[in-house]
Structure formats: structure tokens, C-alpha cells
């Protein structure tokens, strides 16, 4: 574990230094990535230019969901995001070279082309979170204040687990790559909105089958002191850290199983 | 027989080679269609008749645009870009056919293949979960014309972005700018009818609306179909002419390295 972390740090730093060789490109790419990431926020802004409430939630509350969802997603993307590119490595046969090196292939894939622009996308959600927190119209207790960083941390862990799970499936079903995006990018999109806009059965699916509701929705109900449309017990709102641990454990098992099943594409 | 239909045919066949992959992409399109439909239903519940549409229009729009998204390549990109960077474009220019014509034929084949392979899952999902507005045969024909024009406009824009690499040597700066403009002004982020008024009028005159918003409206039978097709055709013609002019300039600019 310690070795893997050290290797992660070394490789990430090497890629960062490589990116810094082209400072203008690096800054422009950072700005551009931030703008692409800001589109979803612009979409929410446009919706609220026409209505005051969406699914029973006001603009500040929806932006709170947006900010926590995107902080978690961007952090997971910064840590592991390139797991998305695993399918390409498997298809092109370059994954074989990774297996020959004395570093975990997950670390190699995750740090590939590590670039500061991965963090540029954090700026907008962080700023929005700072703006909306005082406008949330909730009575702040110590527990609610503590829940905000806890939900971002567990959301990050849940998304990390999903990246690895989706990547693991690609060892077996190479062509599942496109459908995995529904889970990762789709999860990032759907957690920006209150679950009260979705149909109940759909919300049950993203609570119990794929635990996206624990990224920010359930903890947000606790922070905002709102009733759960599904009527789940109050303890569910505090379950995000436990769910995150379970998802990551499952992902670790799946990755190992996938790696064992891996067969080179040959030539 | 001219070479262009063959280029288009092989591009179409290339899509069919990755059948399972296209289906997987189609499933993701269906999922996003579902999410957008739920969100727009919540919006129309607060503001019925927003922008002259009803909730059924908004739901149909969500799924039809997801069905189109791959074919009109909203996320950008043209294989030509990598060939300009690597210098392989010299081989393309060597051929006794027009560079623009070659890639246009390739793109039309790709778009047809993608539409056939990837539009099924989102349309089926929308029809099963919500029920979609199904247009009559006349409107389907108008929509088919609008789709072809949307692909032409999309190609026109992506071809210009690709040719900019002759001057910039790299597309990583311009690509995200093109992406933001396309996603925002095409009606992909939010349908243009939701835009507040001055912005909506401006967005309606820009070429990106011809990619998603206009074909969507033609499918729904909202607005004047003849005017919509003329708008798309005008942008397609303007962009293709601009592409032809820039191709000439790029041809004079190109220096192939090595010997």
C-alpha cells in the first residue's frame, strides 16, 4: 500500500512536470476544462431563470447538490479518472507493457497524463459551495457542519469505486466501455439534481442497486433537514461513509478478479 | 461509379464492425435521455406551456436529441485532425479527389451508421417509459431532410476546427472551445426554448442550433418546417464554402517534414 502510494506520487509528479513544459497550453487547457465543467452549472442557472423551485427545491439547495456532487466527481476523476481509458489500453495491447513494470497497473493508468487541469474543474464547484452554504436556510448544528466535508469525502470514495468497477468490467467485456459511462458520467449528472425530480422506482434503483443516492442526496437531506421522498429511516442519511467503504471494497475485489481474467489481445 | 459513395459505404461498414460498442453507447444515451426527461418534466410542471411547448414535447425532445447526438457528433472531432498533426494528411492531399469531399463522404457514412446503430435504445426507452410524440410520414420525411442538413452543418464546423490545426499545430486548445459552444448553443445542455428571451433569439441564429434544436423542433412539428430547413441549408452552404476556401489556403501552407 505504501509502495503504491509512493509510486502514485512519483508518477503523478513526473506527468505534472511534463505538462508544465508547455505553460501556456497548460493554463489554456485548465481554463477550457473548467468552462466545459461549468456547462452543467449554466444549465441549472438557465432552468432557475424560468422557475423558482425544481422538485420542491430552490436554487441555492440545487446548487448545493451540484457543488457537492461535482467536488466529489472531480476529485475522483483527478485521482483515478483515467481508468476510463483502460478499454483503449486493453484494445491496443499497451496494457501488456504496464503489467511488465514493477508498479500496480491501476496506479499507472490513474496517473497517466496527470495534469493540473484535472484540478481546474474544482474551482467552480468550490466557489459555488462557498456562495450557497450561508444561503441554505437550515439551522446549522455541529453535525450538519461536519456532514459537508464528510459527504464530499464519501462521495469521492463512491465515485472512485465506480470508476474502478466500470474499468474492471472492461477486462471481461471490452465493448461495455460505452455503457459504463452511464454509471460514471451519468452518475455525475444525476447527483446534481434533487432526487425528488425522478420517478420513485428510479430513485430506489440509484439507492439500492447503484448507491448514487449516497454520494450527496441522502447526506444533503440531513444537512437541509428535509423529509425523504422514499420515507427511508433517518439512519440512511448518515450511511454514506459505510456505503463508500462497501463500494470501494467491492471495487478492489472486482479489479483483482478482472486482472486475473485479463488476456492480451495478441497481434 | 464515383469514389465518394464507396468512401461513405466503407465508413458506414466501419461503424457496423463495432456493433456491441455502439449498442453500449446507445444504452448510455437512453440513460441520459431518461435523466433529462425527468428534469424537464419537473420544469414544465412548474411552468406549463414554457416556450410554447408542453411536457410531452420536452420529453420527446430529450430522447430524440439523445438519438441524434452521436450521429451529429455533438462532442466534436474528426479523424482528419490527427492526420494533419502527424502529417499523414499529405497522403490525403495526394489523392485525385477533393480533401473536403473525401472527408464529407466519410462523415455522411459514419453519421448514417451511427444513427442506425445508436438511435434505437434511447427512442425505445422513451417510448416504453413515457410514450413519445410519433410524427406522421410527412413529418418523418422533413425530419430526415433536417437530419442530413444537421450532419452537413456539423461536418462544416468540425472540418473548420480540424483545418485550424494546419496553423495551430494542435487542436487541444480549440477543441474544448468548440465543445462548449456546441453543447450550450445547440440545445443539448438545455433546450433553447428554455433560454430567456434575448439569448434565445441570438442562439436561434447561430449555426449550432441547426445541429440539435432545429431537427428536434422539426420532429415535434413546432415552428415553420420550411423556414427551419432553409436556415439549416444556408448555414451548411456557408460553412462548406468557407471550408473549401480554407482548404485552398491550407494546401499552400502545408510543409511536409522529412524525406
Amino acid at each position: 500500500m505504501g509502495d503504491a502510494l509512493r509510486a502514485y506520487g512519483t508518477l503523478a509528479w513526473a506527468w505534472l512536470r511534463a505538462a508544465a513544459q508547455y505553460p501556456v497550453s497548460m493554463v489554456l487547457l485548465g481554463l477550457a476544462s473548467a468552462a466545459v465543467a461549468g456547462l452543467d452549472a449554466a444549465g441549472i442557472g438557465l432552468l432557475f431563470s424560468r422557475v423558482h423551485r425544481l422538485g420542491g427545491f430552490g436554487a441555492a439547495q440545487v446548487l448545493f447538490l451540484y457543488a457537492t456532487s461535482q467536488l466529489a466527481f472531480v476529485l475522483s476523476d483527478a485521482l483515478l479518472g483515467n481508468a476510463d481509458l483502460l478499454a483503449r489500453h486493453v484494445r491496443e495491447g499497451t496494457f501488456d507493457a504496464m503489467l511488465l513494470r514493477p508498479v500496480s497497473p491501476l496506479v499507472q493508468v490513474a496517473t497517466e497524463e496527470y495534469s493540473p487541469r484535472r484540478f481546474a474543474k474544482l474551482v467552480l464547484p468550490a466557489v459555488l459551495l462557498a456562495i450557497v452554504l450561508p444561503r441554505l436556510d437550515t439551522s446549522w448544528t455541529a453535525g450538519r457542519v461536519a456532514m459537508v466535508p464528510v459527504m464530499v469525502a464519501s462521495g469521492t470514495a463512491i465515485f472512485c469505486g465506480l470508476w474502478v468497477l466500470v474499468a474492471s468490467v472492461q477486462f471481461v467485456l471490452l465493448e461495455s466501455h460505452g455503457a459504463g459511462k452511464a454509471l460514471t458520467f451519468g452518475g455525475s449528472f444525476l447527483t446534481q439534481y434533487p432526487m425528488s425530480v425522478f420517478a420513485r422506482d428510479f430513485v430506489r434503483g440509484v439507492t439500492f442497486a447503484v448507491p448514487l443516492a449516497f454520494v450527496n442526496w441522502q447526506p444533503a437531506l440531513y444537512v437541509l433537514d428535509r423529509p425523504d421522498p422514499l420515507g427511508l429511516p433517518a439512519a440512511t442519511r448518515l450511511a454514506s461513509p459505510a456505503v463508500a467503504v462497501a463500494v470501494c471494497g467491492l471495487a478492489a475485489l472486482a479489479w483483482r478478479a478482472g486482472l486475473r481474467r485479463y488476456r492480451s489481445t495478441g497481434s | 461509379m464515383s469514389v465518394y459513395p464507396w468512401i461513405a459505404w466503407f465508413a458506414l461498414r466501419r461503424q457496423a464492425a463495432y456493433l456491441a460498442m455502439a449498442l453500449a453507447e446507445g444504452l448510455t444515451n437512453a440513460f441520459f435521455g431518461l435523466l433529462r426527461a425527468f428534469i424537464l418534466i419537473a420544469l414544465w410542471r412548474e411552468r406549463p406551456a414554457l416556450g410554447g411547448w408542453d411536457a410531452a414535447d420536452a420529453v420527446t425532445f430529450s430522447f430524440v436529441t439523445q438519438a441524434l447526438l452521436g450521429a451529429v457528433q455533438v462532442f466534436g472531432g474528426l479523424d482528419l485532425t490527427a492526420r494533419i498533426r502527424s502529417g499523414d494528411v499529405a497522403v490525403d492531399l495526394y489523392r485525385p479527389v477533393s480533401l473536403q469531399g473525401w472527408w464529407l463522404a466519410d462523415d455522411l457514412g459514419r453519421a448514417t451508421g451511427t444513427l442506425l446503430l445508436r438511435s434505437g435504445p434511447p427512442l425505445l426507452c422513451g417510448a416504453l417509459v413515457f410514450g413519445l410524440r410519433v410524427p406522421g410520414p410527412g413529418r418523418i420525411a422533413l425530419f430526415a431532410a433536417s437530419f442530413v442538413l444537421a450532419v452537413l452543418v456539423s461536418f462544416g464546423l468540425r472540418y473548420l476546427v480540424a483545418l485550424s490545426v494546419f496553423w495551430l499545430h494542435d487542436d487541444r486548445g480549440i477543441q474544448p472551445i468548440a465543445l462548449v459552444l456546441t453543447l450550450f448553443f445547440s440545445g443539448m445542455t438545455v433546450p433553447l426554448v428554455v433560454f430567456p428571451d434575448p439569448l434565445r433569439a441570438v442562439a436561434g441564429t447561430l449555426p449550432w442550433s441547426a445541429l440539435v434544436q432545429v431537427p428536434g423542433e422539426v420532429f415535434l412539428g413546432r415552428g415553420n418546417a420550411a423556414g427551419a430547413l432553409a436556415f439549416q441549408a444556408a448555414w451548411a452552404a456557408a460553412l462548406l464554402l468557407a471550408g473549401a476556401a480554407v482548404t485552398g489556403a491550407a494546401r499552400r501552407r502545408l510543409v511536409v517534414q522529412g524525406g
Side-chain angles (χ1 to χ4, degrees):
Chain A
M1 190 69 192
D3 280 349
L5 283 179
R6 198 158 340 112
Y8 187 98
T10 312
L11 287 173
W13 181 241
W15 279 111
L16 280 178
R17 282 191 20 216
Q21 301 300 311
Y22 303 93
V24 178
S25 272
M26 192 177 79
V27 171
L28 283 179
L29 283 174
L31 288 175
S33 312
V36 176
L39 274 175
D40 286 338
I44 293 173
L46 281 171
L47 298 186
F48 278 99
S49 75
R50 309 311 290 265
V51 294
H52 296 297
R53 299 184 86 70
L54 199 67
F57 285 75
Q61 293 164 325
V62 174
L63 284 175
F64 174 63
L65 288 169
Y66 168 83
T68 47
S69 143
Q70 288 311 287
L71 279 178
F73 185 71
V74 174
L75 279 172
S76 77
D77 182 53
L79 290 170
L80 283 178
N82 273 16
D84 191 40
L85 299 180
L86 183 73
R88 206 187 65 203
H89 283 297
V90 173
R91 199 169 54 235
E92 294 178 356
T94 42
F95 190 71
D96 294 15
M98 295 190 162
L99 288 175
L100 291 174
R101 298 184 192 128
V103 177
S104 151
L106 185 60
V107 169
Q108 293 181 54
V109 174
T111 52
E112 193 177 347
E113 291 190 23
Y114 209 88
S115 139
R117 78 183 140 126
R118 293 197 189 181
F119 297 97
K121 295 184 211 162
L122 282 176
V123 176
L124 181 70
V127 169
L128 280 175
L129 187 65
I131 293 173
V132 296
L133 274 181
R135 291 174 170 73
L136 277 186
D137 191 27
T138 180
S139 57
W140 288 102
T141 62
R144 291 197 179 120
V145 173
M147 182 52 98
V148 177
V150 168
M151 69 196 271
V152 172
S154 13
T156 307
I158 292 175
F159 275 129
C160 281
L162 289 178
W163 282 117
V164 174
L165 270 175
V166 168
S168 309
V169 174
Q170 289 168 18
F171 283 120
V172 186
L173 290 171
L174 182 56
E175 298 189 315
S176 70
H177 173 62
K181 284 192 247 174
L183 221 55
T184 52
F185 292 102
S188 148
F189 182 66
L190 90 92
T191 49
Q192 296 168 15
Y193 287 88
M195 297 272 173
S196 50
V197 305
F198 303 119
R200 274 158 165 265
D201 285 331
F202 183 85
V203 180
R204 284 193 188 100
V206 294
T207 306
F208 299 115
V210 185
L212 287 166
F214 292 94
V215 167
N216 62 348
W217 169 245
Q218 285 294 342
L221 290 176
Y222 174 77
V223 172
L224 302 172
D225 196 18
R226 298 281 301 244
D228 183 347
L230 290 185
L232 296 175
T236 322
R237 303 170 172 212
L238 307 175
S240 288
V243 171
V245 170
V247 171
C248 288
L250 197 65
L253 289 176
W255 175 261
R256 287 198 184 129
L259 207 52
R260 273 200 299 277
R261 288 276 306 264
Y262 172 69
R263 284 185 199 172
S264 174
T265 45
S267 61
Chain B
M1 193 163 136
S2 139
V3 71
Y4 296 109
W6 284 108
I7 301 169
W9 173 242
F10 285 125
L12 197 156
R13 292 255 314 261
R14 205 159 56 235
Q15 296 295 311
Y18 300 101
L19 189 67
M21 215 174 255
L23 273 176
E25 294 272 356
L27 285 179
T28 296
N29 289 144
F31 188 71
F32 268 93
L34 206 58
L35 297 180
R36 289 191 187 278
F38 279 130
I39 292 163
L40 290 183
I41 288 171
L43 183 70
W44 257 266
R45 194 179 297 140
E46 300 284 325
R47 284 284 300 270
L50 175 62
W53 284 14
D54 58 22
D57 286 328
V59 167
T60 305
F61 184 83
S62 301
F63 287 100
V64 170
T65 52
Q66 285 295 323
L68 281 177
L69 173 141
V72 299
Q73 204 132 346
V74 171
F75 293 104
L78 195 66
D79 291 343
L80 173 61
T81 319
R83 295 181 67 81
I84 299 174
R85 269 183 77 178
S86 67
D88 288 344
V89 70
V91 179
D92 294 348
L93 288 168
Y94 203 71
R95 295 188 183 110
V97 289
S98 121
L99 182 75
Q100 194 183 23
W102 174 284
W103 285 97
L104 176 58
D106 182 84
D107 205 53
L108 285 172
R110 176 204 59 78
T112 312
T114 308
L115 184 76
L116 294 175
L117 292 172
R118 272 175 64 178
S119 59
L123 291 180
L124 198 66
C125 172
L128 290 177
V129 178
F130 298 101
L132 298 179
R133 285 253 147 97
V134 183
R139 197 129 42 81
I140 295 263
L142 285 173
F143 174 72
S146 177
F147 167 72
V148 173
L149 289 168
V151 175
L152 287 178
V153 174
S154 161
F155 171 79
L157 289 165
R158 286 179 290 125
Y159 185 73
L160 286 175
V161 169
L163 286 193
S164 74
V165 176
F166 275 113
W167 285 268
L168 301 173
H169 304 295
D170 188 27
D171 70 324
R172 278 182 300 178
I174 195 158
Q175 196 64 55
I177 297 173
L179 179 65
V180 170
L181 290 170
T182 312
L183 287 177
F184 190 75
F185 287 113
S186 66
M188 206 61 235
T189 304
V190 165
L192 297 187
V193 290
V194 176
F195 280 28
D197 238 338
L199 190 59
R200 180 182 173 185
V202 173
T205 61
L206 297 174
W208 295 284
S209 69
L211 303 183
V212 171
Q213 179 72 24
V214 172
E217 281 176 2
V218 171
F219 189 93
L220 294 172
R222 295 281 171 184
N224 170 7
L229 294 181
F231 168 77
Q232 285 181 301
W235 268 116
L239 288 166
L240 291 175
L241 284 174
V246 178
T247 310
R251 191 181 275 275
R252 285 188 292 281
R253 159 124 196 141
L254 178 69
V255 177
V256 179
Q257 304 279 342

Coordinates of all heavy atoms in Angstrom, one line a residue, chain A residues 135-161:
Chain A
R135 N -26.5 30.5 2.4 CA -27.9 30.8 1.9 C -28.8 29.6 2.0 O -29.8 29.6 1.3 CB -27.8 31.3 0.4 CG -27.1 32.6 0.2 CD -27.0 32.9 -1.3 NE -26.6 34.3 -1.5 CZ -25.3 34.8 -1.2 NH1 -24.4 34.0 -0.7 NH2 -25.0 36.1 -1.4
L136 N -28.4 28.6 2.7 CA -29.1 27.3 2.6 C -30.4 27.3 3.5 O -31.2 26.4 3.3 CB -28.2 26.1 3.0 CG -27.4 25.6 1.9 CD1 -26.6 24.4 2.3 CD2 -28.2 25.3 0.7
D137 N -30.6 28.3 4.4 CA -31.8 28.3 5.1 C -32.0 27.0 5.9 O -33.1 26.4 5.9 CB -33.0 28.5 4.2 CG -34.3 28.9 4.9 OD1 -34.1 29.4 6.0 OD2 -35.3 28.6 4.4
T138 N -31.0 26.6 6.7 CA -31.1 25.5 7.6 C -30.5 25.9 8.9 O -29.6 26.8 8.9 CB -30.4 24.2 7.0 OG1 -30.5 23.1 7.9 CG2 -28.9 24.5 6.7
S139 N -30.9 25.3 10.0 CA -30.3 25.6 11.3 C -29.0 24.8 11.4 O -29.1 23.6 11.5 CB -31.3 25.4 12.4 OG -31.7 24.0 12.4
W140 N -27.9 25.4 11.4 CA -26.6 24.7 11.4 C -26.3 24.2 12.8 O -26.1 24.9 13.7 CB -25.5 25.7 10.9 CG -25.6 25.9 9.5 CD1 -26.0 27.1 8.9 CD2 -25.2 25.1 8.4 NE1 -26.0 27.0 7.5 CE2 -25.4 25.8 7.2 CE3 -24.6 23.8 8.4 CZ2 -25.2 25.2 6.0 CZ3 -24.4 23.3 7.1 CH2 -24.6 23.9 5.9
T141 N -26.2 22.9 12.9 CA -25.7 22.3 14.2 C -24.3 21.7 13.8 O -23.9 21.8 12.7 CB -26.6 21.1 14.5 OG1 -26.5 20.1 13.5 CG2 -28.0 21.5 14.8
A142 N -23.6 21.3 14.9 CA -22.2 20.8 14.7 C -22.3 19.6 13.7 O -21.4 19.5 12.8 CB -21.6 20.4 16.0
G143 N -23.3 18.7 13.9 CA -23.4 17.6 13.0 C -23.6 18.0 11.5 O -23.0 17.4 10.6
R144 N -24.4 19.0 11.3 CA -24.7 19.4 9.9 C -23.4 20.0 9.3 O -23.2 19.8 8.1 CB -25.8 20.4 9.8 CG -27.1 19.7 10.2 CD -28.4 20.5 9.8 NE -29.5 19.7 10.2 CZ -30.5 20.1 11.0 NH1 -30.4 21.3 11.5 NH2 -31.5 19.3 11.3
V145 N -22.7 20.8 10.1 CA -21.5 21.4 9.5 C -20.5 20.3 9.2 O -19.9 20.3 8.1 CB -20.9 22.4 10.6 CG1 -19.5 22.9 10.1 CG2 -21.8 23.6 10.8
A146 N -20.3 19.3 10.1 CA -19.4 18.2 9.9 C -19.8 17.4 8.7 O -18.9 16.8 8.0 CB -19.3 17.4 11.1
M147 N -21.1 17.3 8.4 CA -21.5 16.4 7.3 C -21.1 16.9 6.0 O -20.8 16.1 5.1 CB -23.1 16.3 7.4 CG -23.7 15.4 6.3 SD -22.9 13.8 6.3 CE -24.2 12.9 7.3
V148 N -20.9 18.2 5.8 CA -20.5 18.7 4.5 C -19.2 18.1 4.0 O -19.1 17.5 2.9 CB -20.5 20.3 4.4 CG1 -20.1 20.8 3.1 CG2 -21.9 20.8 4.8
P149 N -18.1 18.3 4.8 CA -16.8 17.6 4.3 C -17.0 16.1 4.3 O -16.4 15.4 3.4 CB -15.8 18.0 5.3 CG -16.5 18.6 6.5 CD -17.8 19.1 6.0
V150 N -17.7 15.5 5.2 CA -17.9 14.0 5.2 C -18.5 13.6 3.9 O -18.2 12.6 3.3 CB -18.6 13.6 6.5 CG1 -19.0 12.1 6.3 CG2 -17.8 13.8 7.7
M151 N -19.6 14.3 3.5 CA -20.3 13.9 2.2 C -19.4 14.0 1.0 O -19.5 13.2 0.1 CB -21.7 14.6 2.1 CG -21.6 16.1 1.8 SD -23.2 16.8 2.1 CE -24.0 16.6 0.5
V152 N -18.6 15.1 1.0 CA -17.7 15.2 -0.2 C -16.7 14.1 -0.2 O -16.4 13.4 -1.2 CB -17.0 16.6 -0.2 CG1 -15.9 16.6 -1.3 CG2 -18.0 17.7 -0.4
A153 N -16.1 13.7 1.0 CA -15.1 12.6 1.1 C -15.8 11.3 0.7 O -15.2 10.5 -0.1 CB -14.5 12.6 2.5
S154 N -17.0 11.0 1.3 CA -17.6 9.7 0.9 C -18.0 9.7 -0.5 O -18.0 8.6 -1.2 CB -18.7 9.3 1.9 OG -19.1 10.3 2.7
G155 N -18.5 10.8 -1.0 CA -18.9 10.9 -2.4 C -17.7 10.6 -3.3 O -17.8 9.9 -4.3
T156 N -16.6 11.2 -3.0 CA -15.4 10.9 -3.8 C -15.0 9.5 -3.8 O -14.7 8.9 -4.8 CB -14.2 11.7 -3.2 OG1 -14.5 13.1 -3.1 CG2 -12.9 11.6 -4.0
A157 N -15.1 8.8 -2.6 CA -14.8 7.4 -2.5 C -15.8 6.6 -3.3 O -15.4 5.6 -4.0 CB -14.8 7.0 -1.0
I158 N -17.1 6.9 -3.3 CA -18.0 6.2 -4.0 C -17.7 6.3 -5.5 O -17.7 5.3 -6.3 CB -19.5 6.6 -3.7 CG1 -19.9 6.3 -2.3 CG2 -20.5 6.0 -4.7 CD1 -21.2 6.8 -1.8
F159 N -17.5 7.5 -6.0 CA -17.2 7.6 -7.4 C -15.9 6.9 -7.8 O -15.8 6.3 -8.9 CB -17.1 9.1 -7.8 CG -18.4 9.8 -8.1 CD1 -18.8 10.9 -7.6 CD2 -19.2 9.2 -9.1 CE1 -20.0 11.5 -7.9 CE2 -20.5 9.7 -9.4 CZ -20.8 10.9 -8.8
C160 N -14.8 6.9 -6.9 CA -13.6 6.2 -7.2 C -13.9 4.7 -7.3 O -13.4 4.1 -8.3 CB -12.6 6.4 -6.0 SG -11.7 7.9 -6.0
G161 N -14.8 4.2 -6.4 CA -15.2 2.8 -6.5 C -15.8 2.5 -7.8 O -15.6 1.5 -8.5

